[in-house]
Amino acid sequence: MLGRFALIAALAALPVTLQVPTVAPVPLAATLQEDLVKVAIETGEGRITVALDRGRAPLTVANFLRYVDARRYDGQSFYRAMPYDKGGLIQGGITSDVKLLFKPVAHEPTSKTGLHNVRGTLAMARLEPGSAQSDFFILTEDIAALDAGDADPGFAAFGHVVEGMEVVDKIFRDPVSPTKGVGALKGQMLEPAVKIVRMGRVK
């Protein structure tokens, strides 16, 4: 059960000192408007609006929207806040019932999409490449180590927060349990978890 919604244990041991990415992040403005799909994430602490880049990460976006359109994220939660350097990430997804999960989506590395794991980025949580299902995370700071490298497939970035980053920051600062979580997740589990009331496309 834990492996389904963990990132990977090694993520907790990422080096704090990072190399600056050799490829500059693709600005949201550079994406064609028709390739962006906006989704509102209504949480118990406020609304987060994200723009998904189906032009650059079509498989990952289609997977995420499948869950959104089927209302399978409704009633789930953000359950993890992972610290990293001066910020970190919040992680959410389906943890209530494995029957709500669709088949894993093929991995779309940042080296292929041109997107990057920077503050406000949405990316898929996974174990092995190609194992991502519903769980995703939102970064509160740039973490270049999550991008694909020469021998590292990284994590698939597929969107960016366009409104409500203050809500993301607030969730990240919420209390965590000192005892819940196994291995790398211990001390990172939000207590209480922040409910995802509903998700839906924004017209």
Side-chain angles (χ1 to χ4, degrees):
M1 177 71 72
L2 179 62
R4 192 186 79 251
F5 56 85
L7 287 174
I8 50 174
L11 188 57
L14 286 173
V16 172
T17 302
L18 300 174
Q19 298 294 322
V20 177
T22 55
V23 180
V26 176
L28 194 61
T31 300
L32 295 175
Q33 289 301 308
E34 56 265 32
D35 286 336
L36 293 178
V37 182
K38 287 188 177 181
V39 170
I41 306 172
E42 300 285 355
T43 80
E45 298 193 5
R47 171 186 282 199
I48 304 164
T49 303
V50 298
L52 311 180
D53 195 334
R54 62 182 171 190
R56 290 184 168 86
L59 299 179
T60 311
V61 170
N63 173 72
F64 189 82
L65 289 175
R66 188 180 183 191
Y67 286 100
V68 172
D69 294 340
R71 317 304 298 188
R72 295 197 178 187
Y73 283 125
D74 296 6
Q76 301 299 321
S77 66
F78 284 102
Y79 58 83
R80 183 186 185 194
M82 190 200 84
Y84 182 86
D85 198 11
K86 297 179 181 179
L89 59 84
I90 61 172
Q91 185 172 336
I94 296 172
T95 60
S96 64
D97 188 349
V98 296
K99 294 179 182 179
L100 294 175
L101 298 173
F102 294 120
K103 291 182 179 180
V105 61
H107 183 60
E108 291 181 305
T110 55
S111 55
K112 176 182 177 181
T113 64
L115 301 172
H116 290 277
N117 285 287
V118 296
R119 175 173 165 80
T121 291
L122 273 76
M124 294 304 297
R126 62 163 179 81
L127 292 176
E128 298 300 321
S131 67
Q133 290 178 283
S134 75
D135 280 39
F136 64 97
F137 57 89
I138 304 177
L139 299 177
T140 68
E141 71 165 306
D142 299 0
I143 307 182
L146 299 183
D147 285 349
D150 292 338
D152 183 356
F155 292 84
F158 65 100
H160 204 88
V161 174
V162 292
E163 292 179 10
M165 195 62 204
E166 71 280 1
V167 177
V168 175
D169 290 332
K170 185 176 186 301
I171 294 173
F172 178 74
R173 295 191 298 266
D174 279 352
V176 295
S177 168
T179 58
K180 290 182 179 178
V182 178
L185 277 73
K186 187 173 183 179
Q188 298 180 7
M189 308 307 284
L190 291 168
E191 189 174 47
V194 177
K195 187 175 182 178
I196 296 173
V197 179
R198 60 183 171 274
M199 282 197 204
R201 299 195 195 209
V202 177
K203 294 182 180 180

